[in-house]
Amino acid sequence: MDEQSSLLALFTTSFLSATLLPGGSEAVLFGVLTAYPQLFWPALGFASLGNTMGGMSSYAIGLFLPDEKALLKQSGGNMRGLEWVRSHGSLVLLLAWVPIVGDLLCVAAGWLRINWILAMLFMAIGKFVRYWAIAAAMSV
């Protein structure tokens, strides 16, 4: 696989990994950086962009969930996680990279109508730092 195809595969895997679908973008990042170490920064950029866009797709899903009263009735009144997101706002999306929990945070942010620009910014920062840590650990 050439450099461009590797970066496209990394972007695609990173996008899908950030949705409610399971994925392994870290393994693809490892493969790309092993095959093409000179792509360190482009690989981090493509992985972070794809993962952020995937997270924003989960945010968009949250926009289409039923209103709060209907969801409260369905959940039996257990809304602690949503209250945590509501009280901390877009900052919680620094944790959007955390498996399973991160997807739910992105959906909750959309459902709560958290400012999408701030949501995307904090989501991107958290996801970039995670990929950077993985790539830096590989370089040691």
Side-chain angles (χ1 to χ4, degrees), residues 15-104:
F15 179 91
L16 293 174
S17 295
T19 64
L20 299 174
L21 301 172
S25 61
E26 297 84 359
V28 177
L29 177 66
F30 178 82
V32 169
L33 292 179
T34 300
Y36 304 106
Q38 72 276 14
L39 294 179
F40 184 87
W41 292 109
L44 288 181
F46 274 83
S48 299
L49 179 63
N51 214 243
T52 301
M53 289 177 67
M56 287 305 290
S57 72
S58 295
Y59 176 97
I61 289 169
L63 295 173
F64 295 103
L65 289 177
D67 68 359
E68 190 170 358
K69 290 179 183 177
L71 196 61
L72 187 60
K73 185 177 178 182
Q74 290 175 343
S75 70
N78 186 2
M79 303 285 279
R80 281 183 299 180
L82 281 172
E83 289 303 322
W84 186 73
V85 173
R86 184 178 311 202
S87 67
H88 292 86
S90 56
L91 278 174
V92 300
L93 295 172
L94 288 170
L95 299 174
W97 61 270
V98 176
I100 300 169
V101 173
D103 298 336
L104 298 175

Side-chain angles (χ1 to χ4, degrees), residues 106-117:
C106 294
V107 171
W111 185 70
L112 293 171
R113 308 300 193 267
I114 289 177
N115 180 294
W116 72 270
I117 294 173

